[in-house]
Amino acid sequence: MDRIRIYGGQRLNGTIPISGAKNATLPLMIASLLTDKTLVLDNVPRLADVNLLQRILGNHGVDIMVSGKRSGETQYDGQTLHISAANVIDTTAPYELVSRMRASFWVVAPLVARMGEAKVSMPGGCAIGTRPVDLLIMALERLGVEIEIDRGYVIARAKSGLKGGEIKFPKVTVGGTHTALMAASLARGTTVIENAAREPEVTDVADCLNKMGAKITGAGTSRIVVEGVAKLGGAHHRVLPDRIETGTYAMAAAMAGGDVLLENARSELLQAALDVLVRAGVEITATNTGVRVKRNGSGLAPVEVTTSPFPGFPTDLQAQLMALMTRAKGTSHITETIFENRFMHVQELVRLGAHIQLDGECATIEGVSALKGAPVMATDLRASVSLVIAALAAEGETIVNRVYHLDRGFERLEDKLAACGAAIERLSG
Ligand code: UD1
C-alpha cells in the first residue's frame, strides 16, 4: 500500500492548478443514465472515485470513452469523458460496488426515472457517521416511486412513470437534492423542491441537466422548480473547479507559509472558508486566474467556526482547518454540525503533538508552538489530507499511511505540493 513521506518546515511558493470538482463529477456522470444520447464532460479529475464510478456505470451497460490528450495540454488538464447510456443492460447496482462509494447509490434516481425500475444496494455505514438514505427515498416516493426494501437492497418501481410533486427536505441534503433533480427532470408535471441544498455542485448539475433539455429554475437557492420533460438529450459540459481542493491547498499554504496561486480556483465557491483564513491572518486575493494565498512570517490567529450547508463553512474542510489551528497563537473552537463522528483525524493530529479536546460536536484546539513528525494514518479522505497539512509544519519526518483515501479525492497531491517546494514524496508498495 502506498504511503506519503513529508519533511516539514518548507515554505510553499508557486502555482497549484485546481482540478475539476469530484463532488460535481460524480452526479454528472450519474446523470448520463437519464438519456440515450452522449454526455460529454470536460475537466474531469483523475481520481480513484471517478474510476470506480466508471466501473459501476459500466455494470449498467454505460459506455465511457476517455479522450486522449490534446496538443498543448499538460498533465494537470482534466480529462474529457464521452458517456453513453444508450443501452442500459442492468438496473441493479450490487453491494460489492455501492459499498465502496456512497454516491453510487444516487444511480437509483435516473434508473427509475428512465427505465421504470432500479435495484440498488443500501450503502451501509461509513467512517464518518451513519449517513442514512431515508431522505433520498422520501424524495422518490413524493414523485410516485414505489419503494421496497429487501435484503439490503432498495427496489424502486415506477412502471407508468414518475409524477411531479412537492418535496420538502427536513434537513439540507446534497445527495437528496441531486436525487430529486434527476428524478423530477423526467417526471410528468411540476416538482417543487423546498429546503434544497445550495451547494455549487448542485447548481453545476442543474446547469448540465438544463443543457440536456431539462427545465430547472432556482438551482443555487433553497427553492428549486422542475418542469418535467418526456426525454432528455446529450450535452457538452465543463465540470466546475473543486472548492474543497482549493480550500485544502489554501490551508496548506497558510500552514507552511509562502505565496501560492491556486490556478482556476473561484473564490465565490468558498467565500466562507476564505473569510475564516483572512480572520486567521492569511492574505487572500482573488485574481483573474485564480486565488492567491499568502502568509509571510506573521503567526496565525485562532478562530471560532461552525460547519453548515453552503454558503456556510463546509464540513469537507473541517479537518483541514483543525490541522491549521493546531499552530495558531491561542485557542480555537470548531463545531461540526453536519456529520456526527467526523473527528477521526483528532487522535492522529494529537500524535503529531496537537492539543485538542473533544466535547460532543465541538473541538477545542489549543495552538502549540511546534508539531513533531510521526507515522499516522487516516480513515477518510478529508481526515487524511488534514494530516498532510499538519505534516507540512511538523518538525522532521511524517509518514501518512493508507494513501488510497487521498487518491479518492485529490489528484496528484504530492506532485502539486512538491512543485511549490514541499518536501513530499510517495513511497510505493
Ligand atoms: C455530500 C458530499 C460530501 C459532503 C456532504 C455535505 C458528494 C459526493 N459528497 O455528501 O463530500 O460532506 O455532501 O456537504 O457530493 N442525511 C439524512 N438522510 C438522508 C441523507 C442525508 O439524514 O437520506 C443527513 C446526513 O446524515 C448528514 C446531512 O443529511 O447529516 C447532510 O448529508 P448530505 O448532504 O446528504 O451528504 P452527501 O450528499 O452524502
Side-chain angles (χ1 to χ4, degrees):
M1 248 187 282
D2 286 5
R3 292 164 300 152
I4 281 187
R5 176 159 63 197
I6 300 157
Y7 290 97
Q10 309 297 319
R11 295 168 72 77
L12 297 181
N13 285 295
T15 298
I16 296 182
I18 297 302
S19 301
K22 169 179 91 75
N23 284 355
T25 300
L26 301 179
L28 286 166
M29 289 171 72
I30 289 172
S32 70
L33 285 166
L34 287 165
T35 173
D36 58 0
K37 299 290 184 303
T38 302
L39 176 64
V40 181
L41 296 178
D42 283 331
N43 202 31
V44 172
R46 290 173 180 76
L47 298 171
D49 271 7
V50 171
N51 295 339
L52 180 58
L53 185 56
Q54 284 194 39
R55 278 188 48 204
I56 292 169
L57 293 175
N59 196 55
H60 295 298
V62 177
D63 191 44
I64 301 186
M65 206 257 298
V66 184
S67 293
K69 210 178 261 180
R70 285 171 285 235
S71 67
E73 279 186 347
T74 72
Q75 56 184 356
Y76 292 117
D77 285 308
Q79 12 174 30
T80 296
L81 304 186
H82 298 252
I83 311 176
S84 166
N87 301 304
V88 174
I89 52 170
D90 193 343
T91 53
T92 299
Y95 175 74
E96 299 74 56
L97 294 174
V98 179
S99 59
R100 293 176 58 187
M101 186 175 54
R102 267 188 60 83
S104 58
F105 181 82
W106 300 346
V107 297
V108 66
L111 282 175
V112 73
R114 180 167 149 223
M115 312 303 296
E117 59 170 34
K119 183 175 170 188
V120 179
S121 170
M122 307 265 276
C126 85
I128 56 170
T130 47
R131 300 184 84 173
V133 290
D134 55 323
L135 300 178
L136 283 65
I137 290 174
M138 177 278 281
L140 292 172
E141 284 177 334
R142 298 293 300 165
L143 300 181
V145 177
E146 278 169 37
I147 300 280
E148 186 191 333
I149 305 209
D150 185 32
R151 280 172 260 202
Y153 278 80
V154 173
I155 302 166
R157 292 190 190 90
K159 288 294 175 215
S160 49
L162 274 58
K163 293 187 295 290
E166 187 168 322
I167 302 170
K168 208 173 204 165
F169 286 112
K171 78 198 283 195
V172 175
T173 154
V174 173
T177 308
H178 286 314
T179 300
L181 274 180
M182 289 192 217
S185 291
L186 285 184
R188 280 190 313 279
T190 306
T191 298
V192 178
I193 308 170
E194 302 277 5
N195 199 22
R198 290 181 278 165
E199 268 66 4
E201 294 75 22
V202 167
T203 312
D204 205 42
V205 170
D207 286 348
C208 180
L209 290 172
N210 280 340
K211 287 182 201 165
M212 292 163 71
K215 293 191 175 146
I216 302 169
T217 51
T221 74
S222 47
R223 185 173 191 271
I224 303 180
V225 179
V226 186
E227 300 286 345
V229 297
K231 232 173 159 13
L232 291 171
H236 194 145
H237 184 77
R238 185 176 174 81
V239 179
L240 89 170
D242 196 315
R243 65 195 166 98
I244 303 303
E245 190 193 26
T246 306
T248 300
Y249 288 124
M251 291 185 203
M255 186 66 149
D259 187 349
V260 174
L261 175 69
L262 304 173
E263 199 173 42
N264 309 321
R266 281 168 40 196
S267 60
E268 75 276 14
L269 302 181
L270 72 160
Q271 201 54 56
L274 296 178
D275 289 347
V276 167
L277 289 180
V278 169
R279 292 209 299 276
V282 182
E283 242 180 84
I284 305 277
T285 326
T287 75
N288 288 341
T289 50
V291 174
R292 192 169 163 198
V293 183
K294 208 167 143 189
R295 184 170 75 82
N296 282 323
S298 58
L300 291 162
V303 294
E304 308 277 321
V305 168
T306 299
T307 60
S308 57
F310 191 85
F313 187 95
T315 174
D316 286 350
L317 287 174
Q318 178 256 109
Q320 297 89 316
L321 179 68
M322 194 177 302
L324 181 63
M325 286 300 112
T326 63
R327 291 295 316 281
K329 288 183 177 153
T331 304
S332 304
H333 295 102
I334 301 181
T335 306
E336 170 60 56
T337 66
I338 310 289
F339 293 113
E340 82 270 26
N341 206 11
R342 198 175 203 180
F343 283 128
M344 312 296 276
H345 43 288
V346 169
Q347 284 317 312
E348 299 300 298
L349 290 171
V350 167
R351 286 169 51 72
L352 296 172
H355 289 181
I356 305 172
Q357 294 288 330
L358 280 182
D359 181 10
E361 58 182 25
C362 180
T364 302
I365 307 111
E366 214 184 287
V368 294
S369 57
L371 297 173
K372 294 212 169 73
V376 285
M377 86 168 62
T379 42
D380 77 62
L381 169 59
R382 312 305 177 187
S384 43
V385 83
S386 77
L387 300 176
V388 172
I389 291 177
L392 289 174
E395 290 166 6
E397 178 188 275
T398 297
I399 303 273
V400 180
N401 292 290
R402 297 203 184 164
V403 168
Y404 58 85
H405 287 300
L406 284 175
D407 293 335
R408 286 189 46 211
F410 290 93
E411 181 175 342
R412 308 175 72 109
L413 170 112
E414 67 279 12
D415 292 348
K416 290 186 182 186
L417 286 171
C420 289
I424 180 169
E425 64 178 331
R426 180 180 291 252
L427 307 172
S428 295

